[in-house]
Structure formats: structure tokens, C-alpha cells
Amino acid sequence: MTSFIPGFNNTLNPKAKFYMELAEQCSGLLQGQRNAVTNTANVSSLVYHSLLDTSVREGKPVNWVGFYLRDKANADSLLLGPFQGKPACTEIAFGRGVCGTAASQAKSIVVKDVHEFPGHIACDAASKSEIVVPLTAPDGGIYGVFDIDSSETDAFDDYDRMGLEAIAAMVVEASDF
């Protein structure tokens, strides 16, 4: 399904190749399933274990991968969805922390050092860097966010952002939110 990820012009780059292969695996998991909980559960598990097992992480392990989904009862709030890692914050307001900021701005945020992000919410004290990708609806609304943390600073780059944005778009396209 996904043999091309926008921005990955050099498929010889090991990290670009990793994300293209990961997107292919996500495609297989998402095929024929429309349930958003099922899809986000499977994708969070696949991405978590794939990021743990790959050599392209360059000593920058992930310690949390998951989703926060827009609360149907309170549209200005994100509720904890399927994830892999230690227990997490259960509710995050739009505009608060990295997840809430990414949701309110409808754009991906890469944080090299969470201690330098104003208003960072420390769900896990071991997290030192973070990337959050919004789950953007076709009309521009937000279904939620895809959140990945690392126990090392400066763990995420543009390849991670582009690869995870492509996976998030696949989840949105395949799921009924």
C-alpha cells in the first residue's frame, strides 16, 4: 500500500527504509478493519515493538507509544486510548502539554527535551523527548493524537516525524472515529 512516504526521497536512508517497511506492516494490520480502538491498539503495539527492535534508533529507545483520542463528551479534551508503556495520564486538555498543544494547533510537534517545553505534563518521569502527531480528519478537525516518548533527549528527527505522520494518516483513513 505505502511504497512512498512524502519527503522520503532517499530510500537508501536506513531510517526512511525502516518507516516505509513499518507503514507496509501497518497497512496489513489496518486492512479490512474500521474500528478505531482496534486499529489504534494494533498500531500502537506494532510501532512500539518495531521502534524497540530496530537498529536505526541509534541508542534512542522509546518508552511509550500510544494514542489520546478526542473526548466525545468534551470536545476540548483528549482521553487516553490504546498504548504500550507505563500507565499514563488519563485526560489532557487541548492546549495543555505536548499532546494538547499538538491537538489545538493541528500540527506535529517534536520536542528534543521535554524539560524545556512550557507546560509539559510528566506522565512518566523517565521520558526526556517526545513526538506528537495529530490525527487529522478530512475536514481539518482533530480525532486525537499519536504520541511517542523516549527516555533519551533528542530522540526524534524529521524522518521520525514524516514516517509517523504517514502512519497516523493511514490510521485516520482506515478507521471510523
Side-chain angles (χ1 to χ4, degrees), residues 129-143:
S129 60
E130 185 171 5
I131 182 169
V132 180
V133 176
L135 302 175
T136 307
D139 67 0
I142 299 296
Y143 293 132

Side-chain angles (χ1 to χ4, degrees), residues 18-168:
F18 165 78
Y19 276 109
M20 289 173 55
E21 291 170 359
L22 183 57
E24 288 289 339
Q25 293 173 37
C26 284
S27 175
L29 282 178
L30 297 169
Q31 195 168 42
Q33 179 57 257
R34 300 288 314 162
N35 185 279
V37 172
T38 301
N39 287 340
T40 55
N42 270 336
V43 168
S44 65
S45 179
L46 176 65
V47 171
Y48 179 79
H49 290 286
S50 296
L51 289 173
L52 281 179
D53 292 341
T54 183
S55 61
V56 301
R57 294 293 311 144
E58 301 171 8
K60 306 281 185 174
V62 296
N63 61 327
W64 201 91
V65 173
F67 292 86
Y68 280 91
L69 304 174
R70 190 171 216 155
D71 184 353
K72 293 184 189 321
N74 176 3
D76 293 328
S77 181
L78 298 166
L79 295 177
L80 179 63
F83 70 94
Q84 300 285 308
K86 290 184 179 179
C89 302
T90 58
E91 186 172 1
I92 299 173
F94 270 54
R96 188 162 179 259
V98 183
C99 289
T101 302
S104 67
Q105 294 179 0
K107 71 174 191 175
S108 298
I109 298 176
V110 177
V111 179
K112 293 183 181 294
D113 183 345
V114 296
H115 298 100
E116 295 180 11
F117 189 89
H120 174 256
I121 302 167
C123 295
D124 181 351
S127 293
K128 294 182 180 173
S129 60
E130 185 171 5
I131 182 169
V132 180
V133 176
L135 302 175
T136 307
D139 67 0
I142 299 296
Y143 293 132
V145 296
F146 188 24
D147 180 21
I148 298 93
D149 294 1
S150 174
S151 57
E152 299 295 328
T153 57
D154 199 22
F156 305 104
D157 60 21
D158 276 341
Y159 283 109
D160 295 300
R161 180 187 54 76
M162 290 182 285
L164 295 167
E165 285 175 346
I167 290 168

